[in-house]
Amino acid sequence: MKIVLLYGGQSAEHDISIISAFNISQEIMLDVYSVLPVYITRKGVWLKGPLMEKPLEDASQLKFEQAFVESWAEQPGDISTGVVINPGDIKDKDTVVFPVLHGPNGEDGTVQGLLEVLNLPYVGAGVTASATGMDKIISKQLFDKAGLPQVPYIAFVKREWLEDQEALIQKIEGSLLYPLFVKPANMGSSVGISRVESSEDLKEAIQTALKFDRRIVIEQGITAYECEVAILGNEDPHASVVGMLVKDSDFYDYDEKYINNTVKMQIPAELDPSVSLTIQDYALKAYQAIDGSGLSRADFFVTANNDVYINELNTMPGFTPYSMYPCLWNETGLSTRDLIEELIQLALKRYEMRQALKNQ
Protein backbone atom coordinates (compact mmCIF):
# COMPACT_ATOMS: atom_id res chain seq x y z
CA MET A 1 0.00 0.00 0.00
CA LYS A 2 1.19 3.50 -0.82
CA ILE A 3 1.08 6.32 1.72
CA VAL A 4 1.07 9.79 0.17
CA LEU A 5 2.70 12.09 2.72
CA LEU A 6 1.22 15.51 1.92
CA TYR A 7 2.91 18.46 3.62
CA GLY A 8 4.09 22.07 3.33
CA GLY A 9 1.17 24.21 2.24
CA GLN A 10 0.44 27.91 1.93
CA SER A 11 -0.36 28.70 5.54
CA ALA A 12 1.88 30.41 8.10
CA GLU A 13 2.50 26.95 9.60
CA HIS A 14 4.34 25.72 6.49
CA ASP A 15 7.64 25.02 8.25
CA ILE A 16 5.98 23.17 11.14
CA SER A 17 4.26 20.93 8.58
CA ILE A 18 7.65 19.99 7.10
CA ILE A 19 9.07 19.07 10.51
CA SER A 20 5.93 17.06 11.30
CA ALA A 21 6.19 15.21 7.98
CA PHE A 22 9.86 14.45 8.60
CA ASN A 23 9.08 13.00 12.03
CA ILE A 24 6.35 10.81 10.54
CA SER A 25 8.73 9.65 7.79
CA GLN A 26 11.15 8.51 10.49
CA GLU A 27 8.54 6.41 12.28
CA ILE A 28 6.32 5.01 9.51
CA MET A 29 6.79 1.33 8.64
CA LEU A 30 8.80 1.54 5.43
CA ASP A 31 8.99 -2.25 5.34
CA VAL A 32 5.18 -2.33 5.05
CA TYR A 33 4.34 0.81 3.07
CA SER A 34 5.74 2.61 0.08
CA VAL A 35 5.85 6.29 1.08
CA LEU A 36 5.53 9.05 -1.53
CA PRO A 37 6.36 12.60 -0.36
CA VAL A 38 4.27 15.32 -1.99
CA TYR A 39 5.35 18.84 -1.08
CA ILE A 40 3.07 21.87 -1.49
CA THR A 41 5.19 25.01 -1.83
CA ARG A 42 4.28 28.34 -0.28
CA LYS A 43 3.04 29.39 -3.73
CA GLY A 44 0.75 26.38 -3.96
CA VAL A 45 2.80 24.31 -6.43
CA TRP A 46 2.58 20.54 -5.85
CA LEU A 47 5.88 18.62 -6.14
CA LYS A 48 6.16 14.84 -6.07
CA GLY A 49 9.39 13.45 -4.69
CA PRO A 50 10.91 9.99 -5.12
CA LEU A 51 9.52 7.04 -3.15
CA MET A 52 11.18 6.73 0.25
CA GLU A 53 13.23 3.56 0.53
CA LYS A 54 14.80 4.42 3.87
CA PRO A 55 14.40 7.10 6.57
CA LEU A 56 15.59 10.55 5.52
CA GLU A 57 18.59 12.11 7.20
CA ASP A 58 17.26 15.64 7.51
CA ALA A 59 13.97 17.56 7.21
CA SER A 60 15.55 19.76 4.53
CA GLN A 61 15.33 16.79 2.16
CA LEU A 62 11.55 17.26 2.19
CA LYS A 63 11.72 20.93 1.25
CA PHE A 64 12.25 21.01 -2.50
CA GLU A 65 13.83 24.23 -3.71
CA GLN A 66 11.42 26.96 -4.86
CA ALA A 67 13.96 28.06 -7.47
CA PHE A 68 13.62 24.62 -9.01
CA VAL A 69 9.87 25.07 -9.26
CA GLU A 70 10.10 28.48 -10.87
CA SER A 71 12.60 27.33 -13.51
CA TRP A 72 10.90 24.00 -14.20
CA ALA A 73 9.03 25.11 -17.33
CA GLU A 74 12.15 26.58 -18.96
CA GLN A 75 14.79 24.17 -17.65
CA PRO A 76 13.43 20.71 -16.76
CA GLY A 77 16.96 19.57 -15.85
CA ASP A 78 17.40 17.20 -12.93
CA ILE A 79 14.03 15.77 -11.87
CA SER A 80 15.37 13.86 -8.87
CA THR A 81 14.48 16.73 -6.53
CA GLY A 82 10.80 16.67 -7.41
CA VAL A 83 8.30 16.65 -10.24
CA VAL A 84 5.56 19.24 -10.64
CA ILE A 85 2.17 17.51 -10.55
CA ASN A 86 -1.51 18.41 -10.50
CA PRO A 87 -3.31 17.63 -7.22
CA GLY A 88 -5.40 14.95 -8.91
CA ASP A 89 -2.25 13.06 -9.92
CA ILE A 90 -1.93 11.58 -6.43
CA LYS A 91 -4.97 9.37 -7.09
CA ASP A 92 -3.92 5.74 -7.36
CA LYS A 93 -5.16 2.34 -6.23
CA ASP A 94 -4.23 1.06 -2.77
CA THR A 95 -3.33 4.57 -1.62
CA VAL A 96 -3.90 6.37 1.69
CA VAL A 97 -3.16 10.09 1.99
CA PHE A 98 -1.61 11.43 5.20
CA PRO A 99 -2.25 15.21 4.98
CA VAL A 100 0.26 16.61 7.47
CA LEU A 101 -0.99 20.14 6.84
CA HIS A 102 -1.70 22.78 9.45
CA GLY A 103 -3.83 25.91 9.17
CA PRO A 104 -5.78 27.31 6.20
CA ASN A 105 -5.70 25.42 2.88
CA GLY A 106 -4.77 22.23 4.67
CA GLU A 107 -6.49 21.64 7.97
CA ASP A 108 -9.69 23.59 7.28
CA GLY A 109 -11.55 21.09 5.10
CA THR A 110 -10.29 22.33 1.73
CA VAL A 111 -7.77 19.55 1.11
CA GLN A 112 -10.13 17.08 2.76
CA GLY A 113 -12.79 18.07 0.21
CA LEU A 114 -10.31 17.46 -2.61
CA LEU A 115 -9.52 14.00 -1.25
CA GLU A 116 -13.24 13.21 -1.00
CA VAL A 117 -13.69 14.19 -4.65
CA LEU A 118 -10.72 11.99 -5.58
CA ASN A 119 -12.33 9.20 -3.53
CA LEU A 120 -9.15 8.53 -1.57
CA PRO A 121 -8.90 7.38 2.06
CA TYR A 122 -7.05 9.91 4.21
CA VAL A 123 -5.86 10.31 7.77
CA GLY A 124 -7.75 12.64 10.05
CA ALA A 125 -11.05 14.46 10.24
CA GLY A 126 -13.51 14.80 7.38
CA VAL A 127 -14.55 17.99 5.63
CA THR A 128 -17.10 19.21 8.18
CA ALA A 129 -15.06 18.42 11.28
CA SER A 130 -11.91 19.94 9.75
CA ALA A 131 -13.68 23.18 8.81
CA THR A 132 -15.45 23.35 12.17
CA GLY A 133 -12.36 22.64 14.23
CA MET A 134 -10.41 25.29 12.33
CA ASP A 135 -13.09 27.95 12.82
CA LYS A 136 -12.90 29.22 16.39
CA ILE A 137 -16.31 30.90 16.20
CA ILE A 138 -18.28 27.93 14.88
CA SER A 139 -16.52 25.48 17.20
CA LYS A 140 -17.30 27.72 20.19
CA GLN A 141 -20.96 27.74 19.21
CA LEU A 142 -20.97 23.94 19.04
CA PHE A 143 -19.19 23.68 22.38
CA ASP A 144 -21.86 25.95 23.87
CA LYS A 145 -24.56 23.64 22.50
CA ALA A 146 -22.75 20.62 23.96
CA GLY A 147 -22.77 22.29 27.39
CA LEU A 148 -19.00 22.68 27.62
CA PRO A 149 -17.77 25.61 29.76
CA GLN A 150 -15.79 28.34 27.97
CA VAL A 151 -14.31 31.70 28.88
CA PRO A 152 -16.48 34.70 27.87
CA TYR A 153 -15.97 35.79 24.27
CA ILE A 154 -17.27 38.06 21.51
CA ALA A 155 -17.10 37.38 17.78
CA PHE A 156 -17.50 39.79 14.88
CA VAL A 157 -16.68 40.26 11.20
CA LYS A 158 -14.53 42.87 9.46
CA ARG A 159 -17.59 44.77 8.18
CA GLU A 160 -18.71 45.51 11.75
CA TRP A 161 -15.25 46.86 12.58
CA LEU A 162 -15.12 49.11 9.52
CA GLU A 163 -18.64 50.47 10.07
CA ASP A 164 -18.14 51.67 13.67
CA GLN A 165 -14.92 50.92 15.50
CA GLU A 166 -15.78 52.92 18.61
CA ALA A 167 -19.15 51.23 19.06
CA LEU A 168 -17.54 47.82 18.75
CA ILE A 169 -14.81 48.75 21.26
CA GLN A 170 -17.53 49.87 23.71
CA LYS A 171 -19.40 46.61 23.19
CA ILE A 172 -16.26 44.56 23.84
CA GLU A 173 -15.21 46.52 26.90
CA GLY A 174 -18.78 46.43 28.22
CA SER A 175 -18.86 42.64 28.04
CA LEU A 176 -15.30 41.49 28.72
CA LEU A 177 -12.56 42.37 31.19
CA TYR A 178 -8.92 42.99 30.37
CA PRO A 179 -6.61 41.31 29.61
CA LEU A 180 -8.14 40.18 26.31
CA PHE A 181 -6.92 37.82 23.61
CA VAL A 182 -7.66 38.85 20.03
CA LYS A 183 -7.63 35.98 17.52
CA PRO A 184 -8.31 35.44 13.83
CA ALA A 185 -11.11 32.87 13.60
CA ASN A 186 -9.22 30.58 11.22
CA MET A 187 -5.55 30.44 12.19
CA GLY A 188 -3.52 28.18 14.46
CA SER A 189 -0.21 28.10 16.35
CA SER A 190 -0.86 31.57 17.84
CA VAL A 191 -0.51 33.19 14.39
CA GLY A 192 -2.12 36.65 14.42
CA ILE A 193 -3.05 36.42 18.11
CA SER A 194 -2.39 39.28 20.53
CA ARG A 195 -2.74 39.78 24.27
CA VAL A 196 -3.99 43.29 25.09
CA GLU A 197 -4.44 45.38 28.22
CA SER A 198 -6.07 48.60 26.95
CA SER A 199 -8.34 50.16 24.31
CA GLU A 200 -5.38 51.47 22.35
CA ASP A 201 -3.74 48.05 22.28
CA LEU A 202 -7.09 46.49 21.38
CA LYS A 203 -7.43 48.51 18.18
CA GLU A 204 -3.94 47.58 17.05
CA ALA A 205 -4.53 43.90 17.88
CA ILE A 206 -7.74 43.81 15.87
CA GLN A 207 -5.97 45.35 12.88
CA THR A 208 -3.28 42.66 13.20
CA ALA A 209 -5.83 39.86 13.38
CA LEU A 210 -7.68 41.22 10.35
CA LYS A 211 -4.54 40.68 8.28
CA PHE A 212 -5.16 36.94 8.66
CA ASP A 213 -8.96 36.67 8.63
CA ARG A 214 -12.13 38.72 8.17
CA ARG A 215 -13.75 37.04 11.19
CA ILE A 216 -12.39 37.77 14.66
CA VAL A 217 -12.95 36.31 18.11
CA ILE A 218 -11.99 38.11 21.33
CA GLU A 219 -11.70 36.12 24.55
CA GLN A 220 -11.49 37.30 28.12
CA GLY A 221 -8.14 36.38 29.63
CA ILE A 222 -8.06 34.36 32.84
CA THR A 223 -5.32 33.24 35.19
CA ALA A 224 -5.06 29.56 34.45
CA TYR A 225 -2.86 26.66 33.45
CA GLU A 226 -3.01 25.53 29.83
CA CYS A 227 -3.65 21.81 29.55
CA GLU A 228 -3.98 19.56 26.52
CA VAL A 229 -5.22 16.06 25.81
CA ALA A 230 -4.87 13.90 22.70
CA ILE A 231 -7.81 12.09 21.12
CA LEU A 232 -7.63 9.04 18.85
CA GLY A 233 -10.44 7.14 17.15
CA ASN A 234 -13.50 7.28 14.93
CA GLU A 235 -16.81 6.09 16.36
CA ASP A 236 -15.27 5.08 19.71
CA PRO A 237 -12.55 7.66 20.44
CA HIS A 238 -10.14 7.51 23.36
CA ALA A 239 -8.32 10.21 25.29
CA SER A 240 -4.68 10.21 26.37
CA VAL A 241 -3.24 11.32 29.67
CA VAL A 242 -3.43 15.08 30.23
CA GLY A 243 -0.42 17.32 29.63
CA MET A 244 0.32 20.85 30.81
CA LEU A 245 2.27 23.70 29.21
CA VAL A 246 4.83 25.08 31.66
CA LYS A 247 5.83 28.62 30.77
CA ASP A 248 7.17 31.85 32.22
CA SER A 249 4.82 34.23 30.42
CA ASP A 250 1.05 34.71 30.10
CA PHE A 251 1.23 34.35 26.33
CA TYR A 252 3.62 32.76 23.88
CA ASP A 253 3.55 33.65 20.21
CA TYR A 254 4.50 31.51 17.20
CA ASP A 255 8.26 32.18 17.53
CA GLU A 256 8.38 31.20 21.19
CA LYS A 257 6.40 28.03 20.55
CA TYR A 258 8.17 26.73 17.46
CA ILE A 259 11.41 28.59 16.81
CA ASN A 260 12.80 29.39 20.25
CA ASN A 261 10.90 26.40 21.74
CA THR A 262 10.69 27.96 25.20
CA VAL A 263 7.39 26.27 26.14
CA LYS A 264 7.99 23.13 28.20
CA MET A 265 5.61 20.21 28.57
CA GLN A 266 4.65 18.50 31.81
CA ILE A 267 3.34 15.02 30.97
CA PRO A 268 1.34 13.85 32.77
CA ALA A 269 0.06 17.13 34.20
CA GLU A 270 0.26 17.48 37.97
CA LEU A 271 -3.48 17.85 38.48
CA ASP A 272 -6.06 16.42 40.83
CA PRO A 273 -7.15 13.10 39.25
CA SER A 274 -10.77 14.28 39.14
CA VAL A 275 -9.72 17.35 37.11
CA SER A 276 -7.85 15.16 34.62
CA LEU A 277 -10.94 12.97 34.24
CA THR A 278 -13.07 16.08 33.63
CA ILE A 279 -10.67 17.28 30.95
CA GLN A 280 -10.72 13.90 29.22
CA ASP A 281 -14.52 13.78 29.38
CA TYR A 282 -14.88 17.31 27.97
CA ALA A 283 -12.35 16.50 25.23
CA LEU A 284 -14.34 13.50 24.01
CA LYS A 285 -17.59 15.48 24.11
CA ALA A 286 -16.00 18.29 22.08
CA TYR A 287 -14.61 15.75 19.58
CA GLN A 288 -18.05 14.23 19.11
CA ALA A 289 -19.66 17.69 18.91
CA ILE A 290 -17.70 18.50 15.74
CA ASP A 291 -17.98 14.90 14.41
CA GLY A 292 -14.25 14.29 14.74
CA SER A 293 -12.47 11.25 13.36
CA GLY A 294 -8.90 10.02 13.32
CA LEU A 295 -7.19 12.42 15.68
CA SER A 296 -7.41 15.76 17.46
CA ARG A 297 -5.80 17.65 20.31
CA ALA A 298 -8.12 19.41 22.74
CA ASP A 299 -6.81 22.49 24.62
CA PHE A 300 -8.12 23.64 28.00
CA PHE A 301 -7.70 26.28 30.69
CA VAL A 302 -7.60 25.10 34.33
CA THR A 303 -7.81 27.70 37.12
CA ALA A 304 -6.34 27.49 40.61
CA ASN A 305 -9.85 26.57 41.80
CA ASN A 306 -9.84 23.62 39.37
CA ASP A 307 -12.42 25.18 37.07
CA VAL A 308 -12.01 23.71 33.58
CA TYR A 309 -12.74 25.65 30.35
CA ILE A 310 -12.35 24.27 26.86
CA ASN A 311 -10.33 26.50 24.54
CA GLU A 312 -10.22 24.80 21.14
CA LEU A 313 -9.88 21.57 19.19
CA ASN A 314 -7.05 21.06 16.70
CA THR A 315 -7.91 18.40 14.10
CA MET A 316 -4.35 18.05 12.71
CA PRO A 317 -2.02 18.85 15.59
CA GLY A 318 1.71 19.15 15.17
CA PHE A 319 3.61 15.88 14.79
CA THR A 320 7.13 17.11 15.49
CA PRO A 321 9.26 15.19 18.02
CA TYR A 322 8.44 17.86 20.62
CA SER A 323 4.74 18.29 19.75
CA MET A 324 2.27 17.60 22.53
CA TYR A 325 0.10 15.17 20.53
CA PRO A 326 2.62 12.32 19.96
CA CYS A 327 4.26 12.97 23.33
CA LEU A 328 0.92 12.53 25.12
CA TRP A 329 0.35 9.18 23.44
CA ASN A 330 3.91 8.07 24.16
CA GLU A 331 3.28 8.70 27.85
CA THR A 332 -0.06 6.90 27.62
CA GLY A 333 1.73 3.84 26.27
CA LEU A 334 1.40 4.18 22.50
CA SER A 335 4.64 4.71 20.59
CA THR A 336 4.77 7.16 17.68
CA ARG A 337 5.35 4.25 15.30
CA ASP A 338 2.22 2.45 16.54
CA LEU A 339 0.28 5.73 16.64
CA ILE A 340 0.97 6.34 12.95
CA GLU A 341 -0.10 2.78 12.11
CA GLU A 342 -3.34 3.24 14.08
CA LEU A 343 -4.08 6.48 12.23
CA ILE A 344 -3.64 4.74 8.87
CA GLN A 345 -5.98 1.93 9.93
CA LEU A 346 -8.56 4.45 11.20
CA ALA A 347 -8.39 6.20 7.80
CA LEU A 348 -9.10 2.91 6.02
CA LYS A 349 -11.98 2.05 8.36
CA ARG A 350 -13.59 5.46 7.86
CA TYR A 351 -13.19 5.15 4.08
CA GLU A 352 -14.71 1.65 4.02
CA MET A 353 -17.67 2.83 6.08
CA ARG A 354 -18.32 5.75 3.76
CA GLN A 355 -18.01 3.50 0.69
CA ALA A 356 -20.54 1.11 2.19
CA LEU A 357 -23.00 3.97 2.69
CA LYS A 358 -22.50 5.14 -0.90
CA ASN A 359 -23.15 1.67 -2.27
CA GLN A 360 -26.41 1.06 -0.40
Side-chain angles (χ1 to χ4, degrees), residues 76-93:
D78 179 12
I79 64 171
S80 63
T81 304
V83 178
V84 178
I85 63 170
N86 292 315
D89 293 342
I90 64 173
K91 183 174 175 61
D92 200 358
K93 63 180 181 179

Side-chain angles (χ1 to χ4, degrees), residues 280-306:
Q280 291 169 324
D281 178 57
Y282 285 173
L284 293 174
K285 287 179 178 177
Y287 190 71
Q288 292 164 337
I290 71 164
D291 192 29
S293 58
L295 74 163
S296 281
R297 190 196 69 232
D299 301 348
F300 293 86
F301 299 122
V302 180
T303 70
N305 296 325
N306 287 335

Side-chain angles (χ1 to χ4, degrees), residues 12-28:
E13 299 167 85
H14 178 97
D15 291 334
I16 301 305
S17 172
I18 294 173
I19 300 172
S20 293
F22 175 73
N23 189 43
I24 291 170
S25 75
Q26 299 299 294
E27 300 289 346
I28 200 166

Side-chain angles (χ1 to χ4, degrees), residues 108-153:
D108 58 357
T110 51
V111 166
Q112 289 74 18
L114 168 67
L115 299 175
E116 291 286 353
V117 171
L118 294 176
N119 199 28
L120 286 170
Y122 57 93
V123 170
V127 176
T128 301
S130 297
T132 300
M134 190 71 204
D135 192 299
K136 295 179 177 65
I137 298 174
I138 294 176
S139 58
K140 283 180 177 296
Q141 293 169 344
L142 288 176
F143 296 158
D144 280 337
K145 189 173 180 60
L148 300 174
Q150 303 181 78
V151 298
Y153 69 93

Side-chain angles (χ1 to χ4, degrees), residues 51-94:
L51 287 172
M52 291 185 189
E53 297 180 354
K54 60 182 180 180
L56 301 176
E57 296 179 0
D58 189 84
S60 63
Q61 292 178 275
L62 288 174
K63 191 172 183 179
F64 307 145
E65 292 296 328
Q66 182 66 25
F68 175 82
V69 178
E70 292 172 347
S71 64
W72 173 260
E74 296 79 22
Q75 300 174 0
D78 179 12
I79 64 171
S80 63
T81 304
V83 178
V84 178
I85 63 170
N86 292 315
D89 293 342
I90 64 173
K91 183 174 175 61
D92 200 358
K93 63 180 181 179
D94 298 325

Side-chain angles (χ1 to χ4, degrees), residues 318-336:
F319 239 99
T320 71
Y322 48 83
S323 291
M324 184 69 92
Y325 186 84
C327 290
L328 286 169
W329 281 118
N330 289 344
E331 183 65 27
T332 306
L334 189 64
S335 69
T336 301

Side-chain angles (χ1 to χ4, degrees), residues 60 64 67 86 152 157 193 213 220 227 252 279 293 316 332 358:
S60 63
F64 307 145
N86 292 315
V157 298
I193 297 180
D213 200 351
Q220 181 170 301
C227 296
Y252 277 67
I279 290 173
S293 58
M316 185 52 72
T332 306
K358 289 179 183 179

Side-chain angles (χ1 to χ4, degrees), residues 165-224:
Q165 296 184 12
E166 295 305 321
L168 190 53
I169 292 289
Q170 289 180 10
K171 177 183 176 181
I172 294 166
E173 293 183 331
S175 304
L176 306 176
L177 300 174
Y178 288 105
L180 303 175
F181 287 88
V182 181
K183 305 179 177 181
N186 279 281
M187 289 298 294
S189 298
S190 298
V191 175
I193 297 180
S194 303
R195 183 183 190 273
V196 299
E197 299 276 1
S198 65
S199 298
E200 183 177 343
D201 292 339
L202 180 57
K203 290 181 180 181
E204 183 178 348
I206 291 173
Q207 295 286 12
T208 297
L210 286 171
K211 294 177 182 177
F212 296 94
D213 200 351
R214 51 175 287 276
R215 299 167 67 250
I216 305 298
V217 61
I218 298 182
E219 299 172 354
Q220 181 170 301
I222 60 171
T223 302

